[in-house]
Amino acid sequence: MADSVPVQEGLFTADADGEARLVGGRCASCGRHQFPLGSVCPYCGGDDVAEVRLSPGGTLWAWTAVTAAPPGYKGTVPYGFGVVELPEGIRVLTRLTESDPSALTFGQDVHLRLVPLHTDDAGRAVLTWAFGAR
């Protein structure tokens, strides 16, 4: 999106075709993936972790609606929040594009999107990631 900034550098990117991807890591020692990217593997302690783009699609495991704004939060409520399992075998705590829990189901296919979170003091959209129905 033009005139936008990420909520935190290094958490996500968009491919040349505009498809959003989370930026994670893959450990050379044990082969497991992680998100967010860290310099040490949280599973085996290995320090040879390569940056990878994670799959944009996943499976919904758990969800709820956040109806009261957390301290310091500048976005709108309610918003969906949940756990999505990626094909790489990791589960990501994430925003969801759907805030109505009754519209979501266990095992539902979801896809990553970049969405506006709020507007910063410079008038730019602050982007974050969220998973939503395909």
Side-chain angles (χ1 to χ4, degrees), residues 29-48:
S29 298
C30 71
R32 294 185 72 178
H33 288 84
Q34 61 176 277
F35 177 79
L37 173 62
S39 59
V40 175
C41 177
Y43 306 103
C44 74
D47 62 0
D48 187 7

Side-chain angles (χ1 to χ4, degrees), residues 55-102:
S55 299
T59 304
L60 186 62
W61 275 76
W63 60 96
T64 191
V66 176
T67 59
Y73 178 73
K74 297 177 184 176
T76 60
V77 289
Y79 62 89
F81 191 75
V83 178
V84 170
E85 184 173 64
L86 301 179
E88 290 85 358
I90 57 174
R91 292 182 185 156
V92 177
L93 295 173
T94 182
R95 284 180 67 99
L96 301 171
T97 60
E98 177 59 62
S99 62
D100 178 3
S102 68

Side-chain angles (χ1 to χ4, degrees), residues 118-129:
H118 61 86
T119 302
D120 69 9
D121 294 338
R124 300 172 299 184
V126 176
L127 299 180
T128 192
W129 76 91

